[in-house]
Amino acid sequence: MTRFLEKPASAAERGASNFAGMMWKEKGNELFKKGSYTEAREAYLNGIRLLLSQTKSYNPTTVSGSNSATIVLGEKDLWAEFLDVVACANNIAQSYIKEKNHLLGLEWLIEVHRMYDAFSIGKGSPNYKWNTVRVGIEEFTTTRMKPLLRQASIFNELGNSAAVTSAAWDAYVLVGNVQNDAILKLAEECYIESRLKKRHPDPEDISKITYSNADLQIRGAWNKLQVGKGNGHPGSRKGFASVLWKGIDLQAKVLYTPG
């Protein structure tokens, strides 16, 4: 886990560092648009480091809580600086997604969530999953919803429908009381009603899935097989016993039933 324990920067030092960080962020945006993703990532990393007024390089954290420098942003109500840091991390994730590097893309999307957790800790808010920081700033909500929807998109491509629904639900519940056109549009993109109805993985998606990533992809799908129920229907508490489940191995394309 990356920890920054250096002496806090003075106001003048922070101002100069923030300006330099914004310049690196804009440079990253230019490189991203050109498709120079490796160079763009280097620029965004420099931007994050300087926006956090740190001299050390920034790496994604490995456990929840993120780094102490992001916590300081929450303590001082530095909303603008925090959102710029999050934008850089989001764009790093996007650069990996463009390169079809799902694993590193997800790592940086998760890093965004940890940044929000750290900001919440800095503000002294209880850091429970069901108690997120909600403020009347549109960008604060949209920049947290977008990486969750990107996670859902990655898992949808891989056929991991349970992970799709989980990420989409986490985005959907962020809507809260701050509702405007931009936020409501993202809420619609969650497709939460249809996704909650899916089985995981869903048999209807099997034909669309290519087995391509052993680290992230779930191999298999399940489908009910109705069996005889004898005289009449079983009671409600015995209903589940009236079905068997068959699975499809995505790699071998072999049907199997549990023995």
Side-chain angles (χ1 to χ4, degrees):
M1 180 177 180
T2 304
R3 289 287 184 182
F4 297 119
L5 301 176
E6 302 170 10
K7 181 181 178 181
S10 67
E13 290 171 334
R14 177 173 283 280
S17 187
N18 286 347
F19 180 80
M22 287 298 298
M23 294 299 98
W24 276 109
K25 177 191 170 189
E26 293 305 316
K27 180 67 174 177
N29 290 343
E30 293 173 9
L31 291 165
F32 187 98
K33 290 176 182 177
K34 293 177 182 178
S36 303
Y37 299 126
T38 300
E39 293 83 358
R41 285 192 289 270
E42 292 176 359
Y44 288 133
L45 284 169
N46 278 330
I48 291 174
R49 175 177 60 81
L50 289 164
L51 285 164
L52 294 176
S53 298
Q54 302 298 323
T55 58
K56 297 179 181 178
S57 61
Y58 185 93
N59 296 303
T61 56
T62 55
V63 295
S64 296
S66 195
N67 58 75
S68 57
T70 313
I71 292 174
V72 170
L73 296 183
E75 290 174 344
K76 296 185 178 180
D77 271 348
L78 297 174
W79 299 100
E81 289 86 344
F82 172 72
L83 291 173
D84 286 330
V85 168
V86 166
C88 288
N90 256 325
N91 290 340
I92 290 172
Q94 276 290 82
S95 73
Y96 282 120
I97 293 169
K98 290 283 188 182
E99 294 175 338
K100 296 296 183 181
N101 190 330
H102 293 127
L103 194 60
L104 287 177
L106 285 169
E107 182 176 337
W108 275 95
L109 291 174
I110 291 169
E111 179 68 6
V112 172
H113 310 322
R114 290 171 177 158
M115 287 176 173
Y116 272 90
D117 287 342
F119 194 87
S120 174
I121 291 170
K123 291 188 67 62
S125 305
N127 194 37
Y128 303 125
K129 185 160 181 76
W130 60 88
N131 190 347
T132 56
V133 174
R134 291 193 178 100
V135 295
I137 300 175
E138 174 188 311
E139 194 178 356
F140 192 87
T141 300
T142 57
T143 53
R144 192 164 198 181
M145 293 180 74
K146 286 178 181 178
L148 286 164
L149 291 176
R150 286 171 185 148
Q151 276 185 245
S153 179
I154 290 174
F155 284 123
N156 189 61
E157 184 177 336
L158 295 171
N160 292 3
S161 54
V164 173
T165 302
S166 176
W169 177 258
D170 285 346
Y172 186 76
V173 298
L174 289 171
V175 174
N177 297 322
V178 184
Q179 298 184 9
N180 56 30
D181 290 344
I183 293 172
L184 292 176
K185 184 177 184 297
L186 291 175
E188 290 177 3
E189 292 175 14
C190 295
Y191 303 111
I192 200 65
E193 185 175 350
S194 61
R195 281 170 168 167
L196 286 173
K197 293 177 181 178
K198 279 183 174 286
R199 287 164 282 182
H200 306 300
D202 198 289
E204 294 180 1
D205 295 335
I206 291 300
S207 62
K208 309 171 190 175
I209 301 170
T210 300
Y211 185 75
S212 59
N213 193 314
D215 293 322
L216 295 173
Q217 209 160 9
I218 294 174
R219 290 173 49 189
W222 298 98
N223 190 19
K224 276 194 213 180
L225 291 175
Q226 296 295 331
V227 298
K229 298 181 180 179
N231 296 325
H233 296 283
S236 60
R237 297 188 65 182
K238 298 179 182 177
F240 189 78
S242 67
V243 300
L244 292 173
W245 294 86
K246 70 179 180 181
I248 302 174
D249 187 309
L250 290 178
Q251 189 172 30
K253 301 294 183 184
V254 176
L255 287 171
Y256 61 91
T257 54

